[in-house]
Amino acid sequence: MIKVGIVGGTGYTGVELLRLLAQHPQAEVAVITSRSEAGVKVADMYPNLRGHYDGLAFSVPDSATLGACDVVFFATPHGVAHALAGELLATGTRLIDLSADFRLQDAEEWATWYGQPHGAPDLLPEAVYGLPEVNREAIRQARLIAVPGCYPTATQLGFLPLLEAGLADASRLIADCKSGVSGAGRGAKVGSLLCETSESLMAYAVKGHRHLPEIAQGLRRAAGGPVGLTFVPHLTPMIRGIHATLYASVADTSVDLQALYEKRYADEPFVDVMPAGSHPETRSVRGANVCRIAVHRPQGGDLVVVLSVIDNLVKGASGQAIQNMNILFGFDERYGLSHAALLP
């Protein structure tokens, strides 16, 4: 049994960590922090967790207490992990960061997209990008893991087989992605209000979204060279879910793309390549740590359309973080994550 600490437990990714870890047979949440809610019991803030964490209360972050844990999750806004990461790593604990603080390998690029200097550039060389389907072996040895973002997870998993096989024209990739409102976080914002989002659909950040450099970084690794990516995110009137519709041109139309995808993900417990002709729905992954993928070639042409769906709070955040923890500590990768999606 390992001891788990969570920094920033009051947001959606924090409570999702708690929900999933409540069913984990080898992990116990020993510490959960929140400066604004110190002293409040977890079960009082989140009644859905009554009976699971009745003795656990939020506390002010303390390096000694957190350092006594085997692993610490950061479920915090961008920039917070920078300040504590080095201090906690020095105690010997492992860190799994759900924010974007260590996802980009270039500190200057991070500063450009996040509007502030990178607070721990010396840690970037050892930060492991936590996409298990790509970096499983590196994750096993990591001290610091950067959990991928939600859009980047759905997009990379959808494009990877084409790029790794050298089939796609890497200079002209398009990712047309839709997200539920929970992706904006739990903080009160006018744009996230029910009256603002219900019965409406809108694109945003067309000039450039913070996840763009992260997606491009991963796709360059898969392609082994430069990529040209157009990424357009949309906000949809649902709570959870990411639907990525991905477009790529292929030179060789004789390749069996269904077989290519099935072979690439045959041993991946949380990627489901659906039967030919399928159209995966976001509700089919709601609450589950799975990415469902379908691949199409409309009219048999050279344009490939890949459909990739995830729950942005699970495979796109907290579930993937726990998947990384399981790999890191040699547990069954499915521990705490084997439940089915919620329907309706």
Side-chain angles (χ1 to χ4, degrees), residues 33-273:
T33 76
S34 169
R35 295 184 186 276
S36 62
E37 304 296 340
V40 176
K41 290 185 176 180
V42 166
D44 288 343
M45 176 170 287
Y46 294 118
N48 64 312
L49 298 176
R50 285 175 58 84
H52 295 284
Y53 296 102
D54 292 347
L56 186 65
F58 294 102
S59 60
V60 174
D62 174 72
S63 295
T65 306
L66 289 167
C69 297
D70 298 290
V71 61
V72 172
F73 292 96
F74 277 89
T76 51
H78 310 311
V80 175
H82 291 163
L84 286 173
E87 195 172 336
L88 288 178
L89 287 172
T91 69
T93 191
R94 312 285 186 88
L95 303 185
I96 300 177
D97 179 26
L98 282 79
S99 80
D101 283 5
F102 297 100
R103 292 176 190 163
L104 299 181
Q105 289 297 296
D106 187 320
E108 292 186 6
E109 184 177 39
W110 189 94
T112 297
W113 285 94
Y114 289 89
Q116 62 190 87
H118 196 284
D122 55 311
L123 294 177
L124 287 177
E126 72 165 299
V128 173
Y129 189 65
L131 191 61
E133 294 77 12
V134 173
N135 282 336
R136 186 171 280 106
E137 292 309 311
I139 291 166
R140 295 186 202 280
Q141 309 300 322
R143 293 199 310 157
L144 172 59
I145 295 171
V147 179
C150 50
Y151 284 129
T153 295
T155 302
Q156 289 178 82
L157 290 176
F159 274 135
L160 280 177
L162 291 175
L163 293 174
E164 290 173 347
L167 289 173
D169 178 354
S171 68
R172 294 178 61 84
L173 303 173
I174 297 174
D176 182 357
C177 302
K178 282 83 175 174
S179 173
V181 184
S182 61
R186 190 165 179 253
K189 308 177 187 71
V190 171
S192 301
L193 296 175
L194 176 65
C195 290
E196 301 294 323
T197 60
S198 182
E199 302 182 47
S200 181
L201 172 67
M202 64 168 285
Y204 66 100
V206 176
K207 287 185 177 180
H209 186 280
R210 287 175 171 178
H211 284 175
L212 174 62
E214 179 186 345
I215 298 170
Q217 176 180 268
L219 297 184
R220 285 195 300 270
R221 290 172 179 166
V227 298
L229 173 68
T230 300
F231 167 52
V232 181
H234 299 71
L235 184 65
T236 63
M238 61 183 179
I239 295 172
R240 292 170 176 258
I242 295 280
H243 189 298
T245 305
L246 312 172
Y247 301 88
S249 296
V250 295
D252 186 354
T253 58
S254 68
V255 175
D256 185 338
L257 297 178
Q258 183 70 22
L260 175 74
Y261 274 72
E262 289 178 357
K263 181 178 180 180
R264 173 60 176 85
Y265 292 122
D267 298 322
E268 294 298 341
F270 295 113
V271 179
D272 175 24
V273 178

